[in-house]
Amino acid sequence: VQLQASGGGLVQAGGSLRLSCAASGRNFSRYHMGWFRQAPGKEREFVAVISWSGGSIYYADSVKGRFTLSRDNAKNTVYLQMNSLKPEDTAVYYCAASKLYGSSRYEYDYWGQGTLVTVSS
C-alpha cells in the first residue's frame, strides 16, 4: 500500500482544513487507517484511527470534538476534517495503514509522506 497525504496549509486559529490520504495498491479496505502528527522537536503522536469498515473511530483527547475522520473505500481515500484549529495543532500530519486497530505508531506498516499544517494565532 502506498499512501499520499495532501491538504495541508496555513490557516488562522479557529479555521478549518481537510486532509486527504489517497491509497494505491490492493486491499486498502482491509487496513485500519490512522493519522499521526509531529511538531518540531516533538515525538510523533497519535491523532485518530478509523477501522477498515469505518464503523469504529477513535480520537486522541486533544482533537476529540474538533476533528472528524472518515473513509471512502470506493475511492481508496481517508479524510481528516479539522475544525476549530489551534496553534498547538501545527505539525506535519501523516497518514498510515495497519492491520491492527491501534494508537501506537509502531503498529503501522505503511506511511504517507506527510503534509504540513500551520495554524497561526
Side-chain angles (χ1 to χ4, degrees):
V1 177
Q2 293 183 318
L3 304 174
Q4 179 76 33
S6 62
L10 174 64
V11 63
Q12 289 188 332
S16 299
L17 280 174
R18 188 176 81 156
L19 305 184
S20 298
C21 177
S24 59
R26 298 169 62 181
N27 301 324
F28 168 76
S29 62
R30 296 184 183 181
Y31 286 89
H32 308 303
M33 296 296 298
W35 283 92
F36 291 77
R37 65 186 182 185
Q38 188 166 16
K42 294 189 176 181
E43 294 284 321
R44 189 170 299 189
E45 66 174 5
F46 168 78
V47 174
V49 59
I50 186 167
S51 64
W52 65 270
S53 67
S56 294
I57 305 173
Y58 176 67
Y59 298 96
D61 287 343
S62 58
V63 307
K64 198 174 298 182
R66 300 188 298 122
F67 290 12
T68 301
L69 183 54
S70 62
R71 68 188 295 163
D72 185 339
N73 285 344
K75 295 182 178 180
N76 281 10
T77 304
V78 174
Y79 304 99
L80 183 66
Q81 178 67 42
M82 306 186 296
N83 298 329
S84 303
L85 283 161
K86 305 175 181 179
E88 51 263 44
D89 293 319
T90 295
V92 177
Y93 283 70
Y94 298 89
C95 60
S98 175
K99 289 293 184 71
L100 302 175
Y101 182 75
S103 59
S104 169
R105 60 180 175 168
Y106 301 107
E107 296 172 324
Y108 287 76
D109 304 304
Y110 303 97
W111 291 84
Q113 85 289 0
T115 184
L116 177 61
V117 172
T118 304
V119 184
S120 63
S121 57

